[in-house]
Amino acid sequence: MTDSRSHDVQSEARSDGRSDGSSDGRADSRSESRRHGRTRFGLRLRRIRARWLRLSQPLLGPLRARWRNSLRLRMMTIAGIISILMIAITGGLVLDRISSDLYSSRKDQVLQDSARATLAAQRQMDASDATDRGAVAALVASVRSTLQGTSSSQLIYVKRQAMQSPSQLAPDDFNTSQQLVDVVSPELSEALLQGDAPQYWQAVTLVDDDGVAAPGILVASTLIFPAGAGTYELYIGYSLADAKLTLQFIVSAFVFMAVLLLVLLAVLVWVISSLVFRPIRTAATASHRIAGGEREVRMPMHGDRHFDELSENFNTMADTLHSRIDELDTLSDMQQRFVSDVSHELRTPLTTIKLVSELLKGQAGDLEPQQARAIEVLGTQVDRFEALLADLLEISRYDAGPITLETEPTNLATLTEEVVDALRPLSESEIEVNQLGGFSPIDVDPRRIRRIVSNLVGNAIEHGEGKPIVVTIDSNAAAIAIGVHDWGVGMKPEDTEHVFDRCWRADPSRKRTLGGTGLGLAIAREDAAVHGGLLEVWSRPGEGSNFRLTLPRGDDTTTFISPVPLVPLDVTPDETDPEITGGWLRRPGRRVKKKGSR
């Protein structure tokens, strides 16, 4: 029992430790995320933004690309938005002011007109001596005519005020339009009953004879009838349709002027941007032509101090580059001539030495073992020296200028299989060929492609440490790729940056088993480049290397994606590795002459 309890306590302690550790780990990760700005809210916003970009890409993708790539579009759009905001704010303030002033002016006119009509009617009643119902009725008819004749509005409503004692002489309520009866609010009647001001008014909506609604003002006042008939409320309605039409005309004119102003601003911004960007476009065109080989191109002057300074500096830079290129061309010609001359001069004595070596090798049976071994080493070194001379001549041809390609339709899958079959006897390890694509022929120089594949497979044999080698060929609509993967010693990241340099070796002390010259990968990269392709490498110490050759299908293909991954699928990538899929590749520029397909 004691041991069991002790075991339980220890288990609980370990579980508590694990929970504490996990809690601490989660806290550390949360604090780390906050320290790098990756809060939960921020991550959610990024996910929403990524989802929005993905969903809107078919519709808004071209617009976003145009926005990123056009400074003129951004400038015109920003200028247009600022102009629209300024016009909208200014127009809103001006129209609001005009509307307020127009309404205030019309209201003052309405109040004056109502006061004039009310005073005229009240004077008429004060001058009347009506004492019976018939006389009061005649007075009412006369007052009605006076109100209609004095007021500019024919919308009149007269009713007896509430809270009064009944009277036999009190006339009936009357109106000229039923809508006035409907629009009189209890608040206005209450204000007229309780207040002591001569006039009250409220904003209402009136309908004209055509059934069109228009804003209006209802003015209320009181009339005192004689003979104790009582106090009556007078309501006169005024339509503001004329003010509405005036305001609509002003708004229409302002909108027209605003649109015209925006069009003029757009034209002005376009013209100014054209004038401003013309020197920049000229500089871009000149630099593009210079990059294309037209070294005599220069920028003209533009009549502006800053742009003229840009032109002078650009032209000075072009002159300097021209002179430096001439100097480099001269030195390059001298170097190429020297290498070519030396190579040709060495070929004659080398041929003689090779003949002597073969002659001695034929008599090796009569010599002592040490002498026979020396003759064998001599023959091997002579062969290596001959290969080195051939590589030097090939490098000098690349340095000399345009390369002539003898292209023909070639099945790269078959070519790769033939190269691997030729090298299998030299390999101690198994070489596997995975043909996933690349069966349709493309126009290439088969001699150069064969040399690339042979060099890559030979390097894998030499550095593969006897482990299996996998050669993969695949294709897509734009490119064909060949990958050679070994699980040998591998290279450090800094070594992969120099692996295509001439005569460079990652381990100078390492013995060459296949007699390489140190120029094979440099020539292979140039062979790939003249085809518009790329030769890349991934490597990691102790995990091997993967070389990938990617060739575009046509001369008009400038960007493409390799169908073979650069980072092997059985490797866990880290931050030092390139993208797993390789990403978009850009065709390298090389001066090439092609002979017609045979």
Coordinates of all heavy atoms in Angstrom, one line a residue, residues 443-505:
D443 N 13.3 21.0 -79.1 CA 14.4 21.3 -79.9 C 15.6 21.7 -79.0 O 15.5 22.8 -78.3 CB 14.1 22.5 -80.8 CG 13.3 22.1 -82.0 OD1 13.3 20.9 -82.3 OD2 12.5 22.9 -82.5
V444 N 16.6 20.9 -78.9 CA 17.8 21.2 -78.1 C 19.0 20.7 -78.8 O 18.9 20.0 -79.9 CB 17.8 20.5 -76.7 CG1 16.6 21.1 -75.8 CG2 17.6 19.0 -76.8
D445 N 20.2 21.1 -78.3 CA 21.4 20.6 -78.9 C 21.7 19.3 -78.1 O 22.2 19.4 -76.9 CB 22.6 21.6 -78.7 CG 23.8 21.2 -79.4 OD1 24.0 20.0 -79.6 OD2 24.7 22.0 -79.7
P446 N 21.5 18.1 -78.6 CA 21.6 16.9 -77.8 C 23.1 16.7 -77.3 O 23.2 16.1 -76.2 CB 21.2 15.8 -78.8 CG 21.4 16.4 -80.2 CD 21.2 17.8 -80.0
R447 N 24.1 17.1 -78.0 CA 25.5 16.9 -77.5 C 25.7 17.7 -76.2 O 26.2 17.1 -75.3 CB 26.5 17.4 -78.6 CG 27.9 17.3 -78.1 CD 28.8 17.8 -79.2 NE 28.7 19.3 -79.4 CZ 29.3 20.2 -78.7 NH1 30.2 19.8 -77.7 NH2 29.2 21.5 -78.9
R448 N 25.2 18.9 -76.1 CA 25.3 19.7 -74.9 C 24.5 19.1 -73.7 O 24.9 19.1 -72.6 CB 25.0 21.1 -75.1 CG 26.0 21.8 -76.2 CD 25.6 23.2 -76.4 NE 26.4 23.8 -77.5 CZ 27.7 24.2 -77.4 NH1 28.2 24.3 -76.1 NH2 28.3 24.7 -78.4
I449 N 23.2 18.7 -74.0 CA 22.4 18.2 -73.0 C 22.9 16.9 -72.5 O 22.9 16.6 -71.3 CB 20.9 18.0 -73.5 CG1 20.4 19.3 -74.0 CG2 20.0 17.4 -72.4 CD1 20.3 20.4 -72.9
R450 N 23.5 16.1 -73.4 CA 24.1 14.8 -73.0 C 25.3 15.1 -72.1 O 25.5 14.4 -71.1 CB 24.5 14.0 -74.2 CG 25.0 12.6 -73.9 CD 25.4 11.9 -75.2 NE 24.4 11.9 -76.2 CZ 23.4 11.0 -76.3 NH1 23.4 10.0 -75.5 NH2 22.5 11.1 -77.3
R451 N 26.0 16.1 -72.4 CA 27.2 16.5 -71.6 C 26.8 16.9 -70.1 O 27.4 16.6 -69.1 CB 28.0 17.6 -72.2 CG 29.3 18.0 -71.5 CD 30.2 18.8 -72.4 NE 29.5 20.0 -72.9 CZ 30.1 20.7 -73.8 NH1 31.2 20.4 -74.4 NH2 29.5 21.8 -74.3
I452 N 25.7 17.7 -70.1 CA 25.1 18.1 -68.7 C 24.8 16.9 -67.9 O 25.2 16.8 -66.7 CB 23.9 19.0 -68.9 CG1 24.3 20.3 -69.6 CG2 23.3 19.4 -67.6 CD1 23.2 21.2 -70.0
V453 N 23.9 16.0 -68.5 CA 23.4 14.9 -67.7 C 24.6 14.0 -67.3 O 24.7 13.4 -66.2 CB 22.4 14.1 -68.5 CG1 21.9 12.9 -67.8 CG2 21.2 15.0 -68.9
S454 N 25.6 13.7 -68.2 CA 26.7 12.9 -67.9 C 27.5 13.5 -66.8 O 28.0 12.8 -65.9 CB 27.6 12.8 -69.2 OG 28.7 12.0 -68.9
N455 N 27.7 14.8 -66.8 CA 28.4 15.5 -65.7 C 27.7 15.3 -64.4 O 28.3 15.0 -63.3 CB 28.6 17.0 -66.1 CG 29.7 17.6 -65.2 OD1 29.4 17.8 -64.0 ND2 30.8 18.0 -65.8
L456 N 26.4 15.5 -64.4 CA 25.6 15.5 -63.1 C 25.7 14.0 -62.5 O 25.9 13.8 -61.3 CB 24.2 15.9 -63.3 CG 24.0 17.4 -63.7 CD1 22.5 17.7 -63.9 CD2 24.7 18.3 -62.7
V457 N 25.4 13.0 -63.4 CA 25.4 11.7 -62.9 C 26.8 11.2 -62.5 O 27.0 10.5 -61.5 CB 24.9 10.7 -64.0 CG1 25.0 9.3 -63.6 CG2 23.5 11.1 -64.4
G458 N 27.9 11.7 -63.2 CA 29.3 11.4 -62.8 C 29.6 12.0 -61.5 O 30.3 11.3 -60.7
N459 N 29.2 13.2 -61.2 CA 29.4 13.8 -59.9 C 28.7 13.0 -58.8 O 29.2 12.9 -57.7 CB 28.9 15.3 -59.9 CG 29.9 16.2 -60.5 OD1 31.1 15.9 -60.6 ND2 29.5 17.4 -60.9
A460 N 27.5 12.6 -59.1 CA 26.7 11.8 -58.1 C 27.5 10.5 -57.8 O 27.5 10.0 -56.7 CB 25.3 11.5 -58.6
I461 N 28.0 9.8 -58.8 CA 28.8 8.6 -58.6 C 30.0 8.9 -57.8 O 30.4 8.1 -56.9 CB 29.2 8.0 -60.0 CG1 27.9 7.5 -60.7 CG2 30.1 6.9 -59.8 CD1 28.2 7.1 -62.2
E462 N 30.7 10.0 -58.1 CA 31.9 10.3 -57.4 C 31.7 10.7 -55.9 O 32.5 10.3 -55.1 CB 32.7 11.4 -58.1 CG 34.0 11.8 -57.5 CD 34.8 12.8 -58.3 OE1 34.3 13.1 -59.4 OE2 35.9 13.2 -57.9
H463 N 30.6 11.4 -55.7 CA 30.4 11.9 -54.3 C 29.3 11.2 -53.6 O 28.9 11.6 -52.5 CB 30.1 13.4 -54.3 CG 31.2 14.2 -55.0 ND1 32.3 14.6 -54.3 CD2 31.3 14.8 -56.2 CE1 33.1 15.3 -55.1 NE2 32.5 15.5 -56.3
G464 N 28.7 10.1 -54.2 CA 27.6 9.5 -53.6 C 27.9 8.5 -52.5 O 27.0 7.9 -51.9
E465 N 29.2 8.2 -52.2 CA 29.6 7.3 -51.2 C 29.0 5.9 -51.3 O 28.7 5.2 -50.3 CB 29.2 7.9 -49.8 CG 29.8 9.2 -49.5 CD 31.3 9.1 -49.2 OE1 31.7 8.1 -48.6 OE2 32.1 10.0 -49.7
G466 N 28.8 5.5 -52.6 CA 28.3 4.2 -52.8 C 26.8 4.0 -52.5 O 26.3 2.9 -52.5
K467 N 26.1 5.1 -52.2 CA 24.7 5.0 -51.9 C 23.8 5.1 -53.2 O 24.4 5.6 -54.2 CB 24.3 6.1 -50.9 CG 25.0 5.9 -49.5 CD 24.6 7.1 -48.6 CE 25.4 6.9 -47.3 NZ 25.1 8.0 -46.3
P468 N 22.6 4.8 -53.1 CA 21.7 4.8 -54.4 C 21.7 6.2 -54.9 O 21.8 7.2 -54.2 CB 20.4 4.3 -53.9 CG 20.6 3.6 -52.7 CD 21.8 4.2 -52.0
I469 N 21.5 6.3 -56.3 CA 21.4 7.5 -57.0 C 20.0 7.5 -57.7 O 19.7 6.5 -58.4 CB 22.5 7.7 -58.0 CG1 23.9 7.8 -57.2 CG2 22.3 9.0 -58.8 CD1 25.1 7.8 -58.1
V470 N 19.2 8.5 -57.7 CA 17.9 8.6 -58.3 C 18.0 9.7 -59.3 O 18.3 10.9 -59.0 CB 16.8 8.8 -57.3 CG1 15.5 9.0 -58.0 CG2 16.7 7.7 -56.3
V471 N 17.7 9.4 -60.6 CA 17.6 10.3 -61.7 C 16.1 10.5 -62.1 O 15.5 9.5 -62.4 CB 18.4 9.9 -62.9 CG1 18.3 10.9 -64.0 CG2 19.9 9.7 -62.5
T472 N 15.6 11.7 -61.9 CA 14.1 11.9 -62.2 C 14.0 12.9 -63.4 O 14.7 13.9 -63.4 CB 13.5 12.5 -61.0 OG1 13.7 11.6 -59.8 CG2 12.0 12.7 -61.2
I473 N 13.1 12.5 -64.3 CA 12.7 13.4 -65.4 C 11.2 13.6 -65.4 O 10.5 12.6 -65.3 CB 13.3 12.9 -66.7 CG1 12.9 13.8 -67.9 CG2 12.8 11.5 -67.0 CD1 13.6 13.5 -69.2
D474 N 10.8 14.8 -65.5 CA 9.4 15.2 -65.5 C 9.2 16.4 -66.3 O 10.1 17.1 -66.7 CB 8.9 15.4 -64.1 CG 7.3 15.2 -64.0 OD1 6.7 15.0 -65.0 OD2 6.8 15.2 -62.9
S475 N 7.9 16.7 -66.7 CA 7.6 17.9 -67.5 C 6.3 18.4 -67.2 O 5.4 17.8 -66.5 CB 7.6 17.4 -69.0 OG 6.7 16.4 -69.2
N476 N 6.1 19.7 -67.6 CA 4.8 20.3 -67.5 C 4.6 21.1 -68.9 O 5.3 20.9 -69.8 CB 4.6 21.3 -66.3 CG 5.8 22.3 -66.3 OD1 6.3 22.7 -67.3 ND2 6.1 22.7 -65.0
A477 N 3.6 22.0 -68.9 CA 3.3 22.6 -70.1 C 4.3 23.6 -70.6 O 4.4 23.9 -71.8 CB 1.9 23.4 -70.0
A478 N 5.2 24.1 -69.7 CA 6.1 25.1 -70.0 C 7.6 24.6 -70.0 O 8.4 25.3 -70.6 CB 6.0 26.3 -69.1
A479 N 7.9 23.5 -69.3 CA 9.3 23.2 -69.1 C 9.5 21.7 -68.9 O 8.5 20.9 -68.6 CB 9.9 23.9 -67.9
I480 N 10.7 21.2 -69.1 CA 11.1 19.8 -68.8 C 12.3 19.9 -67.8 O 13.2 20.8 -68.0 CB 11.5 19.1 -70.1 CG1 10.3 19.0 -71.0 CG2 12.0 17.7 -69.8 CD1 10.6 18.3 -72.3
A481 N 12.3 19.0 -66.8 CA 13.3 19.1 -65.8 C 13.9 17.7 -65.6 O 13.2 16.7 -65.7 CB 12.8 19.6 -64.5
I482 N 15.2 17.7 -65.3 CA 16.0 16.4 -65.0 C 16.6 16.7 -63.6 O 17.4 17.6 -63.4 CB 17.0 16.1 -66.0 CG1 16.3 15.9 -67.4 CG2 17.8 14.8 -65.6 CD1 17.3 15.7 -68.5
G483 N 16.4 15.8 -62.7 CA 17.0 15.9 -61.3 C 17.8 14.7 -61.0 O 17.5 13.6 -61.4
V484 N 19.0 14.9 -60.4 CA 20.0 13.9 -60.1 C 20.2 14.0 -58.6 O 20.8 15.0 -58.1 CB 21.3 14.0 -60.8 CG1 22.2 12.9 -60.4 CG2 21.0 13.9 -62.3
H485 N 19.7 13.0 -57.8 CA 19.8 13.1 -56.3 C 20.6 11.9 -55.8 O 20.4 10.8 -56.2 CB 18.3 12.9 -55.8 CG 18.3 13.0 -54.3 ND1 17.3 12.5 -53.6 CD2 19.1 13.6 -53.4 CE1 17.5 12.7 -52.3 NE2 18.6 13.4 -52.2
D486 N 21.6 12.3 -55.0 CA 22.4 11.3 -54.3 C 22.4 11.5 -52.8 O 22.0 12.6 -52.3 CB 23.9 11.3 -54.8 CG 24.6 12.6 -54.4 OD1 25.0 12.7 -53.2 OD2 24.7 13.5 -55.3
W487 N 22.7 10.5 -52.0 CA 22.7 10.6 -50.6 C 24.1 10.5 -50.0 O 24.4 9.9 -49.1 CB 21.9 9.4 -50.0 CG 20.4 9.7 -50.1 CD1 19.6 10.2 -49.1 CD2 19.5 9.4 -51.2 NE1 18.3 10.3 -49.6 CE2 18.2 9.8 -50.8 CE3 19.8 8.9 -52.5 CZ2 17.2 9.7 -51.7 CZ3 18.7 8.8 -53.3 CH2 17.4 9.2 -53.0
G488 N 25.0 11.2 -50.7 CA 26.4 11.2 -50.4 C 26.8 12.2 -49.3 O 26.1 12.5 -48.4
V489 N 28.0 12.8 -49.4 CA 28.6 13.6 -48.4 C 27.9 15.0 -48.3 O 27.8 15.6 -47.2 CB 30.1 13.8 -48.6 CG1 30.9 12.5 -48.5 CG2 30.4 14.4 -50.0
G490 N 27.4 15.5 -49.4 CA 26.7 16.7 -49.4 C 27.6 17.9 -49.3 O 28.9 17.8 -49.2
M491 N 27.1 19.1 -49.2 CA 27.9 20.3 -49.1 C 27.2 21.3 -48.2 O 26.0 21.3 -47.9 CB 28.0 21.0 -50.5 CG 28.8 20.2 -51.5 SD 28.9 21.1 -53.1 CE 27.2 20.9 -53.7
K492 N 28.0 22.2 -47.7 CA 27.5 23.3 -46.8 C 26.8 24.4 -47.7 O 27.1 24.5 -48.9 CB 28.7 23.9 -46.0 CG 29.4 23.0 -45.1 CD 30.5 23.7 -44.4 CE 31.3 22.7 -43.5 NZ 32.5 23.3 -42.9
P493 N 26.0 25.2 -47.1 CA 25.3 26.2 -47.9 C 26.3 27.2 -48.6 O 26.0 27.6 -49.7 CB 24.4 26.9 -46.9 CG 24.1 25.9 -45.8 CD 25.4 25.1 -45.7
E494 N 27.3 27.5 -47.9 CA 28.3 28.4 -48.5 C 29.1 27.8 -49.7 O 29.6 28.4 -50.6 CB 29.3 29.0 -47.5 CG 30.1 27.9 -46.7 CD 29.4 27.5 -45.4 OE1 28.2 27.7 -45.3 OE2 30.1 26.9 -44.5
D495 N 29.2 26.4 -49.6 CA 29.8 25.7 -50.7 C 29.0 25.7 -52.0 O 29.5 25.7 -53.1 CB 30.2 24.3 -50.3 CG 31.3 24.3 -49.2 OD1 32.1 25.3 -49.2 OD2 31.4 23.3 -48.5
T496 N 27.6 25.6 -51.8 CA 26.7 25.5 -53.0 C 26.8 26.8 -53.8 O 26.4 26.8 -54.9 CB 25.3 25.2 -52.5 OG1 24.9 26.2 -51.6 CG2 25.2 23.9 -51.8
E497 N 27.2 27.9 -53.1 CA 27.2 29.1 -53.9 C 28.4 29.2 -54.9 O 28.4 30.0 -55.8 CB 27.4 30.3 -52.9 CG 26.2 30.4 -51.9 CD 26.4 31.6 -50.9 OE1 27.4 32.2 -51.0 OE2 25.5 31.8 -50.1
H498 N 29.4 28.3 -54.7 CA 30.6 28.3 -55.5 C 30.7 27.0 -56.3 O 31.7 26.8 -57.0 CB 31.8 28.5 -54.7 CG 31.8 29.7 -53.8 ND1 32.1 30.9 -54.3 CD2 31.6 29.9 -52.5 CE1 32.0 31.8 -53.4 NE2 31.7 31.2 -52.3
V499 N 29.7 26.1 -56.3 CA 29.9 24.8 -56.9 C 30.0 24.9 -58.4 O 30.6 24.0 -59.1 CB 28.7 23.9 -56.5 CG1 27.4 24.3 -57.1 CG2 29.0 22.4 -56.8
F500 N 29.4 26.0 -59.0 CA 29.5 26.2 -60.4 C 30.6 27.1 -60.9 O 30.7 27.4 -62.0 CB 28.2 26.8 -61.0 CG 27.0 25.8 -60.7 CD1 26.1 26.1 -59.8 CD2 26.8 24.7 -61.5 CE1 25.0 25.3 -59.5 CE2 25.7 23.9 -61.3 CZ 24.8 24.1 -60.3
D501 N 31.5 27.5 -59.9 CA 32.7 28.3 -60.3 C 33.7 27.4 -61.0 O 33.7 26.1 -60.8 CB 33.3 28.9 -59.0 CG 32.4 29.9 -58.4 OD1 31.4 30.3 -59.1 OD2 32.6 30.3 -57.3
R502 N 34.5 28.0 -61.8 CA 35.5 27.2 -62.5 C 36.6 26.8 -61.6 O 37.2 27.5 -60.8 CB 36.1 28.1 -63.6 CG 35.1 28.6 -64.6 CD 35.6 29.5 -65.7 NE 34.6 30.0 -66.6 CZ 34.8 30.8 -67.6 NH1 36.0 31.2 -67.9 NH2 33.8 31.2 -68.4
C503 N 37.0 25.5 -61.7 CA 38.1 24.9 -61.0 C 37.9 25.0 -59.5 O 38.9 25.0 -58.8 CB 39.4 25.5 -61.4 SG 39.8 25.2 -63.2
W504 N 36.7 25.0 -59.0 CA 36.4 25.1 -57.6 C 36.1 23.7 -57.1 O 35.4 22.9 -57.7 CB 35.3 26.0 -57.3 CG 35.0 26.2 -55.8 CD1 35.6 27.1 -55.0 CD2 34.1 25.4 -55.0 NE1 35.1 27.0 -53.7 CE2 34.2 25.9 -53.7 CE3 33.2 24.4 -55.3 CZ2 33.4 25.4 -52.6 CZ3 32.5 23.9 -54.2 CH2 32.6 24.4 -52.9
R505 N 36.6 23.4 -55.9 CA 36.4 22.1 -55.2 C 36.0 22.3 -53.8 O 36.7 23.1 -53.1 CB 37.6 21.2 -55.3 CG 38.0 20.8 -56.7 CD 39.3 20.0 -56.7 NE 39.0 18.7 -56.1 CZ 39.9 17.7 -56.0 NH1 41.2 17.9 -56.4 NH2 39.7 16.6 -55.5

